[in-house]
Amino acid sequence: MLDALLQPWPWYVAGPLIGLMVPLLLLVGGRAFGVSANLRHLCAATLPTRLPFLRYDWRGSGLWNLTFALGIVLGGAFAATVLADPDPVNLAAATVAHLRSLGIEDLSGLVPAELVSWQALGTVPGLLVIVGGGFLVGFGARYAGGCTSGHAISGLANLQVPSLVAVLGFFAGGLLLTYVLLPILL
């Protein structure tokens, strides 16, 4: 059992398991799957403000989602510490060559240290990627009415056209960053 948990799961196992969470959550809990709304719930729960946007019954509408997000964080921490694989991430040779052509040499972690680390925050490319990218992801998720998980998993499963538009925008943004902006930044 532990050996199965320590190995990457194939897409045809992990994908359907994630996909089955959507109808399971809807059928059992009557809730739509999504994570990005938790920022609003967290702000409503912790910030002493009179902003109408943050004045609502966050316990009734968002406590389950905050608990779900906490489970994601705790599960990630558990996986990163107890189930961590000491070997580097197994990347395709073409991917390694492409990253090295961009000047990314440290491929020992889950993300390139040249772009995502405390040291990278002191560089212009790192600051743009971490702070600018984080702002755009947050803004985009609120502007689109949900994040990648909400639109790509829940929205597409419900055949929502706005979710299809949002997902196409997410992919276009990823392609734009990968093939246009990163080569300029690095």
Side-chain angles (χ1 to χ4, degrees), residues 29 41 51 110 129:
H41 300 319
L51 290 174
L110 294 176
V129 168

Side-chain angles (χ1 to χ4, degrees), residues 26-51:
L26 191 60
L27 292 173
V28 174
R31 310 283 185 177
F33 178 80
V35 177
S36 64
N38 279 314
L39 179 60
R40 181 181 181 209
H41 300 319
L42 192 61
C43 290
T46 58
L47 295 179
T49 181
R50 294 178 189 243
L51 290 174

Side-chain angles (χ1 to χ4, degrees), residues 61-141:
S61 63
L63 185 59
W64 74 271
N65 207 346
L66 283 170
T67 306
F68 182 77
L70 178 65
I72 292 172
V73 171
L74 293 176
F78 178 78
T81 54
V82 177
L83 304 176
D85 185 354
D87 297 329
V89 175
N90 189 12
L91 296 173
T95 301
V96 171
H98 183 70
L99 290 172
R100 292 215 163 114
S101 73
L102 293 173
I104 297 174
E105 297 294 330
D106 184 3
L107 302 174
S108 60
L110 294 176
V111 294
E114 290 92 343
L115 290 174
V116 183
S117 66
W118 288 110
Q119 291 79 19
L121 266 175
T123 66
V124 172
L127 188 68
L128 287 173
V129 168
I130 295 170
V131 177
F135 173 77
L136 289 175
V137 167
F139 177 78

